[in-house]
């Protein structure tokens, strides 16, 4: 056993007190000196805190050593000052401790050594390896979960940039979203300058500005008001509201979560380590749990440790599901994650460098440069303490040296408390207050009577009962009322609000002096804890529960309502807004005036919806509806409408479609509600039919019924009537008046008739339904009606999307490219008009999507198209339209691959966007860019496959028809480049025509070309085999070749029509196909043709001139095959070597390997052996 003198020497060395010259003062302390005497002697020399802190610190160090994690750097840190304990004690009140005082706050955590070691190990991993650690601590109430979680706080804050944040969930305000997370991050924003220093704080501010756009900043401000210390919002009120109004509800929650993720990434770079402790997860709201999943599954964070505690016997279904997801992560995650390095997009998450005045180290913001699983889950389950643990607590608390003295008392206390730490602490306190445990000043020892303790205490596992007894015995009526008032004000309450409620709640003496005395007593008796200088919280949930249990439930409910009313009436507008959720929670079941209460709940629902807390929004809105006595009474109609609408939107976002439908139908079925007032509910219902149920025919018919019944705007339902209507619509759109001049557009007045505006909104949704319901004729009629209404009744913003859609119809269905171009130009002008009038909404991004997908690729060069696609992505993201933004990125990456972008750059570029899609849970778009990347990796030789899209990124999978078609489209692309022409030809014949018919989008033209290449090449192979005496039956080969030629000629003619109409991206396609067609005829005639050679050479020049290195390489290869077939070996080798060079420039090294093998068979060229120059 280490002597007390040795232990004191070690502590003195670490604390630099005392010096070596002072050591003789310890000469009177030896192994036989009692702990109390040693403590008194040390306190007289160095202060009352010295010995207890030394003992506590030595205990934690020895515990660490016993568990095998005492590393060299930890050993070195023992000799480093100042320690975390010195910082902690500097914040304590320096007051004299009377003899015989129970100092629970000085005790180490006995019986938790193994758990502390695991926490220290996790912290070590964060510090040393920049990992992300999630620690879940479970146990019954009072088992010491919070104490364990905070045991590492001092070690965290020892680091110059380390920060330990805490937040707590509360059952009383469970519907308040993000409470614990908001509390923790509020603290971070307030302390950032203090921790980082001025220079580091300014760098932190700059990183926030660079990485969070204005909308994300605004979203976070709604939850973390102290963000204003770091990134203030613009002063213009319009700027603050316009962004959120333009975000679709479907996107809003994901966008908010992504904003949180980006903020956490920046914070992880600035603060190291960053530890966030979330207490009482069993009471967490759904939004917080969803956010926790997003943060922990993010692959871009580092230096992060999240600790969550929850009661193991009160786990909510939502928390249980969340924990299970952490235990069993997505099995597809390894396929979806990119295992190769890449560079984060400068457009999104910029790399910043932090340096602080307190450290010479520089820190680079962790971007997504290396995507991989760096997160680890550790689960700790706390049970009760053993008799041995209780004995050690008694020995430490009562300064006992002999185990034999402490053991009988420990056994009694363990039997009474079952080893629950908080229960044990409470029972010891009760015994002390009842003088059953006392300190004898004469003998300087603690004394007790086991028999009296046995008689007085009682066996129970309910710590609340014992705590209630302590409150009853040791507090006045005023103290009890104070504790109840604090219980009404949430987890952490400001002293000014306690003062307000205290004065207004009518309990007799409400003087300020008495309140201050009571608060001081409550802290001293460990009912409350003081946080900083002006905040308080309960020392433990059991104290709060005990205080509440002292009064009947209906009496406490009445106090809740009274406190809620006081806050509502007395708080300023700004204060009420900040505490809106708390006030709504206090009053939602009250007997307040019904309309007044429903209006309050409506405000809470609107605020919850604004921060994407749809569960809370639904809760408040449904309670608001419930509190209205006559919901659809005339004076309540507007309030009821708003409540029903918010509830329906929230339920729809939560996936509760039946409830959302009932709410919508409740509004729609009210005869007293004007038609216009029902519009929002009708739009929600149509939107559910479209996006949630994919029932486009039902949504279309419902939209047409609304237009017919409410407005008198009718469309024919029969085929004959629709054909006649479509012919009339085309005639109208072909008229010169259908292309308005810039002056006409400028002079168009706004559409003011509310019924016409309503009709325009419904027709816009009907257009979407008609397209996906497979009724293009009806869609054309609806679009034409929208345009004609705008000319007749005034400008509406959706006129721009109507012109953009009509432009694609004229180009791809009617073949009138010139009119299509002009209509596209009109659409752009209409968007500008809508923006100038402030009525743009989501029209801009909707128009951008249609133009960039269906028009621009056919009239502008590929490189220009890619630039415009990125502009479209930025536009959509700036409006919060994440779905369309990612849709554009899919088109962009497909275009990059098809137009010959260097594959290595393409790989890095895709890795900039996939993590965003994964974080925001857009799996459909994530899969589509994933298959593009997989195709690139196949070409680069980083997988074993050629035309099979399977590897480290994705696997081919059936399912959604459109996704399956895109997989087949890329397989045809790979077949053309890998020379697997037969597979490509068969695929083209079977399903290629269906793709060309269904998806005339941004990469539609490339597929027609790749199909034609495979078809011509395989027909050529069949002809060559037939001429060389292949045994295939002539009739079979003839039919197959004829079939391939037929399909090839069709695609060839289609591309020729595009070139004739002015499509700049298909000129080289036509040149290549002209050469292929001529080569096929030459093969069938069995003679070399100079015309074929000229056509191939022209095709090569056209491909190079257009910047299509991939197609230039393919043409060189096809030309080489033709020349070798015609026995022109020298020219064939020359063009084969050129093909190798061009494929190398593209980065298709797997293809290069194949061509080198082919070249070796033809000749012993140095290029074939040593690689391209």
């Amino acid at each position: 056993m280490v002597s007390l003198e040795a232990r004191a020497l070690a502590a003195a060395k670490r604390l630099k007190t005392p010096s070596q010259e002072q050591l003789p003062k310890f000469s009177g302390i030896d192994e036989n000196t009692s702990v109390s005497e040693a403590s008194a002697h040390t306190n007289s020399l160095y202060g009352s805190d010295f010995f207890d802190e030394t003992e506590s610190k030595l205990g934690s160090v020895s515990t660490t050593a016993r568990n095998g994690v005492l590393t060299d750097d930890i050993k070195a840190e023992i000799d480093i000052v100042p320690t975390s304990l010195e910082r902690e004690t500097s914040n304590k009140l320096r007051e004299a401790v009377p003899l015989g005082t129970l100092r629970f706050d000085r005790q180490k955590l006995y019986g938790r050594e193994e758990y502390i070691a695991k926490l220290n190990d996790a912290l070590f991993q964060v510090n040393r390896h920049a990992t992300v650690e999630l620690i879940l601590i479970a146990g019954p109430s009072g088992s010491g979960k919070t104490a364990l979680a905070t045991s590492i706080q001092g070690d965290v804050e020892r680091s110059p940039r380390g920060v330990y944040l805490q937040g707590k969930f509360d059952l009383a305000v469970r519907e308040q979203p993000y409470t614990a997370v908001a509390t923790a991050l509020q603290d971070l924003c307030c302390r950032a300058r203090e921790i980082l220093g001025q220079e580091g704080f300014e760098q932190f501010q700059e990183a926030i500005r660079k990485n969070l756009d204005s909308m994300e900043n605004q979203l976070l401000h709604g939850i973390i008001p102290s963000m204003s210390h770091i990134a203030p919002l613009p002063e213009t009120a319009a700027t603050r509201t316009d962004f959120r109004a333009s975000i679709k509800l479907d996107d809003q929650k994901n966008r908010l979560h992504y904003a949180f993720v980006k903020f956490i990434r920046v914070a992880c770079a600035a603060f190291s380590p960053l530890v966030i402790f979330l207490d009482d997860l069993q009471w967490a709201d759904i939004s917080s749990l969803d956010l926790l999943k997003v943060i922990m599954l993010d692959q871009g964070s580092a230096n992060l440790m999240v600790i969550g505690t929850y009661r193991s016997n009160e786990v909510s279904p939502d928390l249980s599901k969340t924990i299970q997801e952490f235990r069993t992560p997505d099995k597809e995650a390894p396929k979806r994650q990119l295992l190769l390095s890449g560079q984060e997009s400068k457009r999104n998450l910029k790399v910043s460098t932090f340096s602080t005045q307190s450290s010479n180290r520089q820190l680079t913001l962790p971007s997504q440069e290396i995507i991989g699983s760096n997160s680890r889950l550790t689960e700790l389950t706390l049970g009760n303490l053993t008799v041995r643990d209780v004995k050690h607590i008694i020995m430490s608390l009562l300064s006992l040296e002999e185990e034999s003295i402490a053991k009988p008392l420990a056994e009694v206390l363990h039997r009474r408390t079952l080893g629950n730490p908080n229960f044990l602490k409470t029972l010891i306190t009760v015994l002390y207050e009842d003088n059953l445990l006392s300190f004898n000043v004469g003998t300087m020892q603690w004394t007790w009577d086991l028999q009296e303790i046995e008689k007085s205490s009682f066996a129970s596992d309910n710590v609340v009962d014992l705590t209630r007894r302590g409150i009853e015995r040791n507090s006045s009526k005023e103290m009890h009322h104070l504790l109840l008032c604090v219980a009404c004000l949430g987890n952490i309450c400001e002293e000014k609000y306690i003062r307000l409620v205290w004065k207004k709640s009518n309990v007799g003496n409400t003087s300020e002096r008495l309140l201050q005395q009571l608060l001081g007593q409550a802290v001293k008796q460990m009912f409350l804890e003081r946080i900083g200088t002006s905040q308080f919280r309960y020392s433990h949930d059991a104290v709060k529960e005990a205080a509440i249990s002292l009064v009947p439930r209906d009496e406490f409910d009445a106090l809740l309502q009274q406190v809620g009313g006081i806050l509502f009436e007395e708080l300023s507008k700004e204060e009420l807004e900040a505490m809106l959720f708390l006030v709504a929670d206090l009053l939602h079941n009250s007997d307040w005036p019904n309309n007044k209460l429903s209006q309050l709940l409506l405000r809470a629902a609107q605020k919850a919806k604004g921060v994407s807390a749809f569960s809370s929004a639904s809760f408040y809105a449904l309670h608001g509806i419930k509190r209205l006595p006559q919901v659809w009474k005339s004076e309540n109609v507007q309030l009821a409408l708003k409540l029903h609408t918010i509830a329906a939107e929230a339920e729809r976002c939560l996936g509760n479609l039946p409830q959302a439908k009932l709410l919508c139908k409740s509004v729609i079925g009210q005869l007293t509600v004007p038609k216009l007032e029902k519009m929002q509910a009708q739009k929600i219902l149509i939107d559910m039919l479209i996006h949630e149920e994919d029932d486009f025919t039902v949504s279309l018919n419902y939209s047409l019924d609304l237009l017919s019944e409410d407005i008198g705007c009718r469309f024919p339902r029969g085929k004959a009537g629709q054909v006649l209507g479509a012919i009339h619509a085309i005639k109208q759109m072909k008229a010169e008046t259908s292309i308005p001049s810039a002056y006409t557009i400028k002079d168009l007045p706004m559409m003011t008739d509310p019924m016409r505006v309503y009709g325009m909104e419904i027709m816009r949704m009907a257009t979407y339904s008609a397209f996906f319901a497979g009724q293009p004729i009806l869609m054309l009629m609806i679009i034409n009606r929208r345009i004609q209404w705008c000319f007749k009744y005034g400008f509406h913003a959706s006129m721009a999307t109507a012109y953009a859609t009509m432009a694609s119809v004229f180009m791809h269905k009617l073949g009138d490219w010139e009119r299509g171009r002009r209509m596209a130009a009109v659409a752009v002008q209409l968007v500008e008009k809508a923006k100038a009038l402030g009525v743009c909404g989501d029209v801009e991004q909707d128009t951008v999507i249609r133009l960039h997908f269906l028009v621009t690729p056919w009239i502008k060069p590929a490189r220009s198209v890619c630039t415009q696609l990125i502009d479209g992505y930025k536009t959509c993201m700036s409006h919060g339209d994440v779905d369309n933004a990612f849709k554009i990125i899919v088109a962009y990456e497909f275009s990059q691959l098809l137009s010959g972008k260097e594959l290595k750059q393409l790989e890095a570029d895709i890795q900039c966007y996939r993590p965003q899609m994964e974080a925001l849970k857009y799996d459909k778009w994530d899969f589509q860019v994933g298959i593009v990347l997989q195709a690139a990796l196949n070409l680069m030789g980083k997988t074993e496959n050629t035309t099979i899209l399977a590897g480290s990124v994705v696997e081919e999978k059936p399912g959604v028809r459109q996704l399956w078609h895109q997989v087949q489209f890329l397989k045809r692309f790979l077949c053309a480049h890998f020379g697997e022409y037969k597979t490509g030809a068969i695929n083209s014949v079977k399903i290629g025509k269906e793709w060309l018919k269904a998806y005339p989008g941004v990469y539609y033209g490339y597929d027609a070309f790749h199909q034609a290449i495979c078809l011509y090449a395989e027909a050529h192979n069949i002809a060559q085999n037939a001429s060389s005496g292949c045994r295939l039956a002539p009739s079979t080969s003839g039919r197959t070749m004829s079939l391939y030629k037929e399909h090839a000629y069709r695609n060839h003619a289609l591309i020729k029509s595009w070139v004739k109409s002015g499509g700049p991206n298909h000129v080289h396609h036509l040149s290549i196909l002209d050469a292929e067609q001529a080569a096929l005829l030459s093969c069938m005639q069995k003679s070399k043709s100079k015309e074929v050679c000229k056509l191939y050479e022209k095709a090569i020049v056209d491909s190079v001139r257009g910047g299509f290195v991939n197609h230039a390489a393919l043409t060189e290869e096809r030309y080489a095959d033709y020349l070798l077939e015609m026995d022109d070996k020298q020219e064939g080798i020359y063009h084969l070597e050129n093909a190798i060079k061009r494929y190398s420039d593209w980065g298709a090294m797997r293809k290069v390997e194949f061509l080198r093998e082919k070249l070796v068979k033809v000749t012993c060229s140095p290029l074939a052996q040593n690689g391209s120059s």
Side-chain angles (χ1 to χ4, degrees), residues 728-740:
H728 177 67
I730 292 172
K731 285 183 178 179
Q732 283 186 314
M733 294 309 301
K734 282 189 173 183
E736 192 58 33
T737 54
S738 67
I739 308 292

Side-chain angles (χ1 to χ4, degrees), residues 187-260:
D187 187 30
L188 177 69
C189 294
C190 293
R191 295 167 55 196
R193 189 189 302 271
E194 174 190 349
I195 297 171
L196 297 174
Q198 184 60 35
E199 181 182 351
F201 179 71
E202 290 174 358
Q203 293 173 352
F204 181 47
Q205 285 184 305
E206 182 63 22
I208 290 291
R209 283 192 290 267
K210 286 183 178 179
N211 290 287
L212 269 70
D213 62 32
S214 53
M215 187 191 320
E216 291 164 340
N217 187 20
Q218 179 179 327
L219 289 172
L220 289 181
H221 269 78
I223 299 172
I224 314 170
S226 60
M227 276 283 290
S228 58
H229 298 319
I230 301 172
L233 285 174
E235 292 299 325
T236 308
T239 306
R240 296 187 180 187
T241 57
D242 182 60
F243 282 131
R244 190 167 299 171
S246 66
I247 304 177
K248 296 179 181 178
L249 276 182
D250 295 335
D251 293 326
Q252 183 172 295
K253 184 174 183 179
N254 288 337
R255 191 69 191 273
L256 174 64
H257 285 179
Y258 191 50
F260 264 114

Side-chain angles (χ1 to χ4, degrees), residues 629-851:
Q630 294 177 304
V631 179
W632 297 109
K633 195 175 178 181
S634 58
E635 61 265 26
N636 296 334
V637 167
Q638 290 301 318
L639 183 56
L641 271 172
K642 293 177 181 178
L643 288 167
H644 276 79
T645 301
I646 287 182
E649 289 178 317
E651 291 291 340
R652 182 226 157 178
C653 291
L654 292 170
N656 191 359
L657 301 187
Q659 177 71 4
K661 284 184 177 180
L662 284 175
L663 289 162
C664 290
K665 290 177 180 179
S666 176
V667 174
I668 296 169
Q670 297 302 319
L671 298 178
T672 58
V673 178
K675 292 179 181 179
L676 282 175
E677 304 292 347
K678 300 178 182 180
M679 182 178 70
Q680 186 62 26
Q682 291 167 338
K683 288 173 63 177
I684 295 171
L685 188 58
I686 295 172
D687 201 51
M688 279 192 289
L689 291 171
I690 293 173
H691 293 104
E692 306 296 345
E693 300 183 2
D694 292 338
D695 201 338
F696 301 111
T697 301
V698 173
S699 66
L700 175 61
N701 289 332
Y702 180 65
S703 300
L704 295 179
D705 289 341
L706 288 177
L707 290 168
S708 175
E709 296 169 7
D710 292 351
I711 307 176
C713 176
R714 296 177 176 82
F715 292 92
R717 304 293 180 97
K719 283 192 175 181
Q722 290 181 2
V723 170
L724 292 174
I727 293 172
H728 177 67
I730 292 172
K731 285 183 178 179
Q732 283 186 314
M733 294 309 301
K734 282 189 173 183
E736 192 58 33
T737 54
S738 67
I739 308 292
S741 66
Y743 295 105
T744 302
I745 293 173
K746 182 179 179 180
D747 293 339
L748 271 177
M750 283 291 295
M751 185 180 291
T752 56
D753 185 342
M755 290 303 293
R756 299 296 175 188
V757 173
Y758 166 64
M760 289 292 290
E761 294 290 339
I762 299 300
M763 281 195 284
R764 183 181 178 187
M765 302 179 83
T767 303
Y768 189 90
S769 299
F771 176 79
F772 286 100
Q775 298 199 39
I777 295 177
L778 188 54
M779 181 190 76
L780 179 64
M781 294 172 60
I782 296 171
I783 295 172
N784 179 61
R785 185 74 56 87
R786 289 164 59 188
I787 293 173
Q788 299 306 320
W789 269 30
C790 288
F791 284 123
K792 187 174 182 180
Y793 302 113
F795 173 76
H796 188 273
S798 66
M799 185 181 185
T801 59
Y803 263 95
T805 308
M806 191 63 79
S808 66
V809 169
F810 268 88
M811 290 184 69
H812 301 297
K813 298 299 182 183
L814 303 179
D816 190 343
W817 282 40
E818 178 56 32
R819 183 161 289 272
R821 287 190 185 93
R822 295 173 66 188
M823 287 185 169
V826 170
V828 172
Q829 295 176 40
L830 291 170
V831 167
E832 293 302 320
K833 180 180 178 69
K835 290 167 68 176
L837 293 172
V839 295
C840 195
D842 63 346
V843 166
E844 181 180 8
Q845 57 265 32
D846 208 359
T847 305
V848 163
I849 282 287
R850 283 164 171 75
L851 293 180

Side-chain angles (χ1 to χ4, degrees), residues 122 126-127 130-134 264-265 268 271 273-276 295-296 298 301-306 374:
V126 171
N127 282 324
T131 60
V132 175
E133 301 283 334
L134 173 61
I264 291 294
R265 288 178 186 170
C268 288
F271 304 93
L274 173 62
V275 180
I276 302 176
I295 291 174
M296 296 313 303
D298 173 48
S301 297
N303 305 315
L304 174 64
M305 184 175 183
V306 176
N374 66 336

